[in-house]
Amino acid sequence: MEVSYEILLTGFPGTSDRISLGISTVVLIECGGTRVLVDTAGFGARGLLLSALSRKGIRPEQIDFVLFTHLHFDHCANFDLFPQAAYVCSRTEWEYAWEQEDIYVQKPVIRALGECRVRLIEEDGAEPVPGIRAVLSPGHTPGGLTYCFGSGQSRVAVTGDAIKNREELRSGEVVMTYDPAVSKDTIFKIRSQSDLVIPGHDCPLQIKENNVIPSETNQWRISFQKGLSVNGGRGNIGITLDV
Ligand SMILES: [Zn+2]
């Protein structure tokens, strides 16, 4: 099965003292004639997501499947843009989103999703789409899924927030987990079966001889309306970067 992919939106690992950024990754996968999105980003990325698809010549109604890594707001808020799609997440994640209090789960979004076709994955390694395996990836949330495809030296894993960024992949140490040991086990499992990890909040990461190599410089540009001055002195708009 010929599988190709493209990163439509690249996640970013930063946060800020004004807002939880939640800039997450969206990947388009094409298997044969089937078009698949992994995650749909947060509401703030709605226009950017449509533009990225449009540049590929793809209309939203041409997306056949939306595979959710998990159901936090920054990964599923734009699901409604894809009315023809079948939606997929794990049964554990689905039940968690309905039953548990988690400030990053938007209950109205979940209720709206409940009106749609949602296939619930229970088995590790199930293929919701032929050629794409869903690997159980608990840690960040109980029902996280990583989507794996490719073979040989080109095994790709789209992890969502089971692995958020390069440092989590390198160290196995994460923030925002219900159990650090569970997260570590998940990261080890994914890492051992991947050549390229596409994390939830960072650029693609190559794994080569036990090293983690970011495949690009990950930048985020902030623009202001003409006439607004930045860091120009008292009363102006200030930006401080901590690196
Ligand atoms: Zn996230």
Side-chain angles (χ1 to χ4, degrees), residues 9 19-26 39-51 68 71-82 104-106 108-109 112 201:
L9 299 177
I19 193 167
S20 159
L21 292 180
I23 301 174
S24 67
T25 300
V26 178
D39 287 343
T40 64
F43 194 81
R46 199 167 174 88
L48 294 171
L49 178 56
L50 288 173
S51 301
F68 293 116
L71 294 174
H72 278 167
F73 77 100
D74 54 326
H75 298 260
C76 69
N78 298 307
F79 82 92
D80 59 309
L81 292 175
F82 308 102
Y104 300 113
V105 172
Q106 287 177 288
V109 170
H201 293 270

Side-chain angles (χ1 to χ4, degrees), residues 95-220:
E95 291 172 355
Y96 172 78
W98 279 93
E99 294 166 10
Q100 302 299 317
E101 285 307 315
D102 178 333
I103 62 166
Y104 300 113
V105 172
Q106 287 177 288
K107 299 291 187 191
V109 170
I110 301 305
R111 284 194 286 273
L113 195 51
E115 304 287 312
C116 306
R117 284 179 298 159
V118 183
R119 179 178 167 196
L120 302 178
I121 299 286
E122 296 180 32
E123 184 195 343
D124 195 35
E127 291 198 5
V129 179
I132 303 177
R133 280 186 305 124
V135 176
L136 302 184
S137 302
H140 178 67
T141 56
L145 289 178
T146 292
Y147 296 100
C148 298
F149 53 91
S151 58
Q153 307 281 296
S154 308
R155 298 166 303 166
V156 180
V158 185
T159 67
D161 291 356
I163 304 173
K164 294 193 286 302
N165 56 58
R166 62 195 73 182
E167 188 52 29
E168 293 190 353
L169 180 57
R170 280 191 189 117
S171 68
E173 308 287 338
V174 308
V175 295
M176 298 178 75
T177 177
Y178 71 87
D179 185 333
V182 170
S183 278
K184 199 170 215 168
D185 285 349
T186 289
I187 292 172
F188 182 79
K189 177 168 80 165
I190 299 302
R191 186 172 167 153
S192 68
Q193 53 184 274
S194 309
D195 302 294
L196 185 80
V197 168
I198 303 177
H201 293 270
D202 205 347
C203 65
L205 306 168
Q206 287 182 292
I207 298 173
K208 273 198 179 148
E209 293 159 6
N210 261 342
N211 294 313
V212 172
I213 305 165
S215 63
E216 58 194 62
T217 303
N218 197 354
Q219 292 184 318
W220 183 42

